[in-house]
Amino acid sequence: MAILQNIKNPHASNRDEFLKTAGCDSTSGLSEKKALQRLNTYGKNKLVKSKQKPVWKILAEQFTSPVMYLLVAAGALSFLFGDIPEGIAIGAVIMLNAAIGFWMEFQARQSMATLRSMDKI
C-alpha cells in the first residue's frame, strides 16, 4: 500500500509511529470514511490472477540455469572420455535436480491456487 511505503522496515518500526503513518487508531482501526477512501483509491485487497505457466514449461525451465549447463557439459565430457560411471552419476544428479526443482515449483503453484480459492472478497 502506498501509504506505508514511507516506513522503512515496517515490521521493525515503533507501533505508534506505524499507526500514525497508516492513519489508524489502535483501538478502532480505520474510520469507515478512510476505509472507503482507500478502497476507492487502491481497490480490493485481492490476489492478482496471472496467467499460469504450462507444466511442460516449468519442467523445461529446470534445465536453463548455468549450473545445469555446467553439469550437462561435465556429463558429456565424461561420456566422451569413456568414463561411463561418472557420466551416469552426473546424469542422475541432473535428473534429480530437475525433479526436485519441478516439484517445488509445482507445489508452490498449487499453494497459490488454494490461496486464490480461499479468497472471499
Side-chain angles (χ1 to χ4, degrees), residues 1-2 5 10 21 40 57 60 66 75 77 79-81 88 98 109:
M1 184 184 262
Q5 287 179 344
T21 305
N40 291 332
K57 191 168 186 177
L77 287 172
F79 284 118
L80 184 68
F81 290 120
I88 291 172
R109 178 174 148 166

Side-chain angles (χ1 to χ4, degrees), residues 20-70:
K20 181 179 174 188
T21 305
C24 300
D25 182 75
S26 63
T27 54
S28 61
L30 286 174
S31 69
E32 190 171 333
K33 181 181 175 185
K34 280 186 181 181
L36 285 172
Q37 181 185 20
R38 289 183 186 183
L39 180 62
N40 291 332
T41 303
Y42 302 110
K44 293 182 178 181
N45 187 16
K46 288 189 76 140
L47 291 172
V48 178
K49 210 170 207 180
S50 60
K51 188 177 177 186
Q52 295 229 343
K53 282 189 247 178
V55 175
W56 67 266
K57 191 168 186 177
I58 294 172
L59 182 61
E61 286 177 349
Q62 301 308 310
F63 298 96
T64 60
S65 71
V67 172
M68 287 299 263
Y69 297 147
L70 189 61

